[in-house]
Amino acid sequence: MGLIPVFVLAVLFFVMMFGIGFILNMLMKTTWFPAYLFVLVILPVVVYSIWDRSSVTLWEHLSSFHPVDYLTGAAGLAGAVLSGWTIRRLRLGGYKMF
C-alpha cells in the first residue's frame, strides 16, 4: 500500500472516531466513554471477526497484521481520546451543552 492511501486511511479513521466520540460524549454526557468503547468493544470485535481460525494462537494472529493495520487502530484510538479531551475542555470552559 502506498504512502498516500495509508495517510488518508489514518486521517479518515481519526476524524471518524473523533466525530462519533464527540457526538456520543455530547448525547450521553460522558467524557471517556468512546475511548473505553473503542478499546473494550470495537478492537476485539474487529480482531475476532477477521481471525483465521485454522488453529492460530492470538499472538500469531496479531503478528500477522501489517503496520498499516496498527496505524489505523492507533489513529482511531487517538480520535476517540481527543474527543473526550475536547469535551472535557469545553465543559471546563463553561459550555453547558457539552
Side-chain angles (χ1 to χ4, degrees):
M1 197 177 243
L3 187 62
I4 292 175
V6 170
F7 178 72
V8 169
L9 185 66
V11 170
L12 178 69
F13 270 80
F14 176 81
V15 170
M16 182 180 67
M17 284 308 299
F18 180 83
I20 291 170
F22 193 86
I23 292 170
L24 280 175
N25 282 329
M26 206 168 49
L27 294 176
M28 297 178 63
K29 299 290 184 187
T30 63
T31 302
W32 301 111
F33 177 71
Y36 297 142
L37 180 73
F38 188 82
V39 171
L40 297 176
V41 175
I42 296 174
L43 284 180
V45 165
V46 168
V47 168
Y48 183 74
S49 67
I50 61 175
W51 195 327
D52 181 22
R53 288 162 185 77
S54 60
S55 70
V56 176
T57 65
L58 175 65
W59 299 114
E60 290 173 349
H61 176 63
L62 291 178
S63 68
S64 70
F65 290 155
H66 299 288
V68 68
D69 300 324
Y70 290 111
L71 179 68
T72 304
L77 180 61
V81 169
L82 190 63
S83 72
W85 182 83
T86 303
I87 288 288
R88 194 174 111 228
R89 297 303 305 168
L90 286 169
R91 287 186 188 139
L92 290 174
Y95 292 95
K96 299 295 182 196
M97 71 180 284
F98 298 113

